[in-house]
Amino acid sequence: MHRGLQAEIKRIALITLLLLVAGFMLNNVLLTLLVGGGIYMLWTFSHIARLYDWLDQGANGLPPDASGVWGDMTDHLYRMQQRNDRAKQSRRQLSERVRNITSALADGIMTLSPDRVLEWWNPAAESLLGLEKTDRGQSIINVVRDPRFVAFIQHRNLPLPVELSSPEDPSKTLMFTAAEFGDGNIILVVQDITRLRNLEQMRQDFVANISHELRTPLTVLSGYIETLQDNSDGLPTGWQKALMQMDQQTDRLNALANDLVMLSQLESNRKPPPRTQVQLTPLLEQVVKDGCMVASEKYHIFSDCHENLELRGEYKELYSAFSNLVFNAIKHNPAGVEIRVACRSTDSEIIVEVCDNGYGIDPKHIPRLTERFYRVDHSRASSTGGTGLGLAIVKHVMMRHGGTLEIQSTLGKGSCFRCHLPKPIAIA
Ligand code: ADP
C-alpha cells in the first residue's frame, strides 16, 4: 500500500482511538465521534479547497502544504506538472529551432492540407512566390496558376519535379518538388534554379558553337586531304599512309562535330517536334538500305516491319535515332552477325527494335550506355570510329517524341535496342 495512504489510515485510527477515549471520559461516545469526524472532514475539505485553488491557477508555483494522503497527491501532481512544463519547454525550443532553420533556408517550403490548401510557409517561399498572410487557408492553385503546376500538384501520385517561370519575376526559373507526409498532407519545396539553368544554357551554347565552328576548318582540311590523295602518285609511300590517317581522323572529327551539333540541337530545342505523319515501313527500309551501304556484305541486315504503321514526329530525328542503332550494331559486332530491324504496335505504343546476335553487352554497363561518351570497351570503341554520342542522341530523340529507349543484352548472345513510342491518337 502507498506510504501516504498508510499514514492517513494510521492518523484516522489514532484520531478514532482518541475520540473513543474522550467519548468514554465524557460519557458520550457517539457525540464525541460525530464531532471528531466532522472536524476531520472539515480539515479534509480545506485541503481539497487549497488543492483546487492551486490547480485553478494553472498549478503554477509551489503546491499547498499538506500531509498524509493529500501531501502525497499534491507532490505527485506537482511532479507531473514539472515534467509537463519541461516537455512543453523542449517542444517550444524545438519548434523555435525548426522555425529558425526554415527561415535560414534559401529554398521555399510550404505545407499544404490534403486538399492542397496552404497551411504554413517559410520566408523564402514568401519572397519566391509573393505569398501574403491572407493566403493562409487559400488553395495553392489560386496562388500559382500555371496549368503545368496545377496538373502537377493535383496529380494523385505527385509526379517528378516541375520547372516553371516565377509568378513574381518571369526571368527566374523555379523548380517545384512535392512529397506526401502524415495523413495525405503535402510538403512543397520551391527552389530558384535560374543560375543552374543559365549555366546549363551556357554549356549548351558553348558546345553548339564550338562544334559548329569546327565544321568549317574541318571541311577545308578534308578538301585539301582529298585533293592531295587524288594526286598522291608522286608522293613517297610514307606520305600516302600519313594522308590516309589524316583522312580517317578528319572523318572522325567531322562525325564528332556533327553528333555534337545534333545533340545540342535536340537538347536546346524545348519545343516538341512537329507532329507530322511519318510512315514507318519506308523509313526503316531506308535505314536498312543505308546500313547495308556502309557495312560489308558479310553483315545480314534486314527489315521485319510489314505493318502499315505511322508515327507523329520529325522524320530527320527519327531517322537519326534508328540509323544510329543500326550503325552501332554494325560497328560494335563482328562480320557475319544478323541485324534485324522490326516494328510492331500494341494498344498504346509503337515499338521499333534493332536486334543483333553479336557480342552482347555486360549488364553492368547497360544503365550508363546512354550517357555522353560512355563506351563499354575503350580500346575497341575508338577503333570502331564511334563518337560515344550515338545512344545519347537516340535517348533524346525518344524523349522529344514522348517515348523511351529500352536496352536488353546478353553477353555472347547479342543485344536488342527497343524504342517505345506513343501511338498517334486516331482522329475519327
Ligand atoms: P559509340 O559512338 O561508341 O557507338 P554509342 O553511344 O552509340 O557510342 O554507344 C555506346 C556504347 O554502347 C558503344 O561504345 C558500345 O560499346 C555499346 N554498344 C552500342 N550498341 C551496341 C551493340 N549493338 N552491340 C554491342 N555494343 C553496343
Side-chain angles (χ1 to χ4, degrees), residues 202-221:
M202 270 165 66
R203 183 190 65 78
Q204 280 177 13
D205 291 349
F206 175 74
V207 175
N209 289 340
I210 198 134
S211 34
H212 192 76
E213 290 301 320
L214 273 173
R215 275 169 151 180
T216 318
L218 278 171
T219 316
V220 175
L221 265 178

Side-chain angles (χ1 to χ4, degrees), residues 194-207:
T194 316
R195 214 175 100 79
L196 202 74
R197 283 292 157 265
N198 287 347
L199 284 171
E200 174 77 359
Q201 191 59 49
M202 270 165 66
R203 183 190 65 78
Q204 280 177 13
D205 291 349
F206 175 74
V207 175

Side-chain angles (χ1 to χ4, degrees), residues 259 324-325 328-333 356 359-361 369-371 373-377 380-381 384-392 409 415 417:
D259 277 0
N324 258 310
L325 295 178
N328 269 354
I330 301 166
K331 267 189 306 188
H332 300 295
N333 289 301
D356 64 67
Y359 292 126
I361 305 161
L369 281 186
T370 53
E371 283 174 24
F373 300 112
Y374 187 85
R375 287 165 171 138
V376 174
D377 175 349
R380 188 149 55 82
T384 59
T387 61
L389 297 173
L391 291 179
S409 192
S415 317
F417 292 79

Side-chain angles (χ1 to χ4, degrees), residues 225 229 240-251:
I225 292 168
Q229 275 182 323
Q240 285 178 357
K241 200 172 158 218
L243 274 176
M244 199 182 72
Q245 278 182 1
M246 282 162 75
D247 189 37
Q248 278 169 358
Q249 295 306 320
T250 40
D251 278 354

Side-chain angles (χ1 to χ4, degrees), residues 20 116 154 191 261 357:
L20 280 173
R116 286 31 177 183
Q154 285 184 334
Q191 289 168 291
V261 169
N357 57 353

Side-chain angles (χ1 to χ4, degrees), residues 3 21 28 32 36 70 107 120 195 200 267 269 336 343 370:
R3 237 189 302 145
V21 172
N28 198 338
T32 321
W70 295 109
D107 296 341
W120 171 90
R195 214 175 100 79
E200 174 77 359
E267 265 186 340
N269 198 346
C343 72
T370 53

